[in-house]
């Protein structure tokens, strides 16, 4: 069947809308970082990221327009303040690009799984290939510069073992077992993203113009720090290393390179995507103390996200995605 015979579904329009808005937010931050980076190798990666998204952005806009939907406003150069002082180090910029690339890879695969039309599937395939290339490049450069912290190592057991009783689940009473490799995956993944979230909250909080935004970012920073400590303590009790912090990669600048709207959106994006990773961690947790920790983090993040939503709507910063037709209102208008 030709693509003209298949209209884009609500799920396909939704993924395109999200790709556009999220992509333009990251693109603005990438452009600022590109302007301040001094290391040529890091700068080249950011140039590639900016050029790659420019092509993707045009294609996404074409898909949306072809179905008669308005292209989202997203974020533009008006959300950048040019000529401002450096806020982040080159190394933090590289860490940012690496973590955001991970988010992009997961986002592209989610979008692909929701797509039926062949041209859209081909587009997300190409996005995935671009993302995988950037993923490899950011890891190689972080390793080269000695700034990539690998996950904990295990010593192999002599033979496979089987779970023999309920004590495997116990995390509060008796002798709790060491963490399983399947549990450490999510712990490390969530910690790395929490470290990014905290570091951005610190930097953004220094430069935000609105008092409401500054207060929110301070609260977000404290929440991230508490959650980092909670997850780190679980690793430390098994004498396992925790991911390094990046707070020292934020300068003392109070000169804002971004609009408050862009900074709030970026933190909100990280909060919302983190919930999926926390849910994965909860699903893989077989020790009761670990499961309870994830439950507390998820509930707290829901409260912080509600506060974020209130500020975004107060300032009219939250763009509305396409909505399903309101059949009740349509029938009343007749």
């Amino acid at each position: 069947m030709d693509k003209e015979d298949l209209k884009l579904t609500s799920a396909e329009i939704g993924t395109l809308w999200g790709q556009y808005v999220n992509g333009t937010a990251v693109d603005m931050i990438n452009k600022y970082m590109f302007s301040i980076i001094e290391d040529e190798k890091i700068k080249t990666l950011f140039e590639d990221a900016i050029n790659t998204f420019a092509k993707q952005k045009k294609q996404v806009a074409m898909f949306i327009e072809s179905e008669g939907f308005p292209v989202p406003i997203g974020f533009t150069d008006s959300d950048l303040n040019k000529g401002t002082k450096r806020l982040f180090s080159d190394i933090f910029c590289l860490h940012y690009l690496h973590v955001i690339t991970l988010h992009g890879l997961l986002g592209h695969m989610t979008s692909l799984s929701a797509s039926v039309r062949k041209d859209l599937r081909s587009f997300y395939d190409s996005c995935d290939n671009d993302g995988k290339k950037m993923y490899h490049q950011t890891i190689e450069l972080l390793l080269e510069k000695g700034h990539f912290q690998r996950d904990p190592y295990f010593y192999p057991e002599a033979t496979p073992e089987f779970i023999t009783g309920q004590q495997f689940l116990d995390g509060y009473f008796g002798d709790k077992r060491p963490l399983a490799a399947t549990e450490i995956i999510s712990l490390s993944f969530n910690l790395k993203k929490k470290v990014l979230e905290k570091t951005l909250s610190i930097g953004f909080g220094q430069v935000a113009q609105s008092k409401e935004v500054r207060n929110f970012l301070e609260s977000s920073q404290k929440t991230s720090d508490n959650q980092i400590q909670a997850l780190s303590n679980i690793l430390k009790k098994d004498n396992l290393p925790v991911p390094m912090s990046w707070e020292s990669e934020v300068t003392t600048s109070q000169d804002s390179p971004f609009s408050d709207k862009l900074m709030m959106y970026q933190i909100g994006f990280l909060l919302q995507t983190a919930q999926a990773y926390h849910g994965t961690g909860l699903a893989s947790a077989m020790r009761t103390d670990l499961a309870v920790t994830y439950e507390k983090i998820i509930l707290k993040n829901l409260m912080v996200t509600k506060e974020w939503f209130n500020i975004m709507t107060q300032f009219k910063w939250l763009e509305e995605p396409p909505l399903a037709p309101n059949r009740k209102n349509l029938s009343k208008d007749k």
Side-chain angles (χ1 to χ4, degrees), residues 18 69 78:
F69 287 88
S78 64

Side-chain angles (χ1 to χ4, degrees), residues 30 32-46 86-98 138 141-142 145 147 246 248-251:
N30 283 348
Y32 163 71
M33 290 182 171
F34 175 78
S35 73
I36 62 168
I37 291 170
E38 296 175 350
D39 185 289
E40 288 301 323
K41 289 186 177 180
I42 300 176
K43 199 175 185 75
T44 297
L45 288 189
F46 272 84
R86 170 186 283 269
L87 184 58
F88 302 114
S89 71
D90 285 6
I91 285 297
F92 175 76
C93 293
L94 181 55
H95 278 297
Y96 173 84
L97 183 59
H98 173 67
T138 53
L141 194 49
L142 283 166
K145 294 185 176 298
H147 280 272
W246 301 331
S248 61
E249 305 300 332
V250 181
T251 73

